[in-house]
Amino acid sequence: MSSIVIIGGNERMVCQYEGICKNYGCKVKVFTKENGALKKKIGLPDLLVLFTNTVSHKMVISAVGEAKRNNIPVARIHSSSATALCNILEEHILKPMEA
């Protein structure tokens, strides 16, 4: 099972992001805003997704620095839509699991 960390996005869509990742067989942590030290919470995921239109520059720098330090691939996407997340997962992870 792959693990993913999503940084940014809309607070109202957290459940939707989690559901999409679950369909792809992934565990997910979602951080829509910075509260506390992000690097302690990220862990070592298989993929870091950055929704660049809804995240602060400070958060991007912190997340990307942590990803570089731990050789974690980073997928940056401007849109924070459900479709954008599905496209990233199709590109980086496997196809969705059958229902």
Side-chain angles (χ1 to χ4, degrees):
M1 181 177 270
S2 298
S3 62
I4 294 175
V5 170
I6 297 174
I7 302 208
N10 296 313
E11 276 185 76
R12 288 174 294 198
M13 289 186 63
V14 169
C15 289
Q16 200 173 350
Y17 297 148
E18 290 169 348
I20 290 167
C21 291
K22 190 176 178 184
N23 284 345
Y24 282 82
C26 301
K27 285 196 265 181
V28 66
K29 290 181 189 174
V30 182
F31 301 101
T32 54
K33 49 184 155 178
E34 191 165 14
N35 46 2
L38 194 60
K39 63 175 144 189
K40 291 179 184 170
K41 297 175 185 174
I42 289 177
L44 294 171
D46 298 310
L47 178 66
L48 181 72
V49 177
L50 277 173
F51 289 133
T52 56
N53 67 333
T54 55
V55 69
S56 72
H57 191 68
K58 180 183 170 192
M59 232 170 136
V60 170
I61 291 171
S62 173
V64 170
E66 198 58 27
K68 277 184 183 172
R69 208 173 359 270
N70 293 304
N71 294 323
I72 300 166
V74 177
R76 293 175 190 239
I77 190 149
H78 186 71
S79 170
S80 56
S81 68
T83 305
L85 179 59
C86 287
N87 291 340
I88 286 175
L89 294 177
E90 295 222 359
E91 199 177 306
H92 291 275
I93 311 292
L94 300 173
K95 300 288 178 222
M97 293 167 28
E98 298 302 317

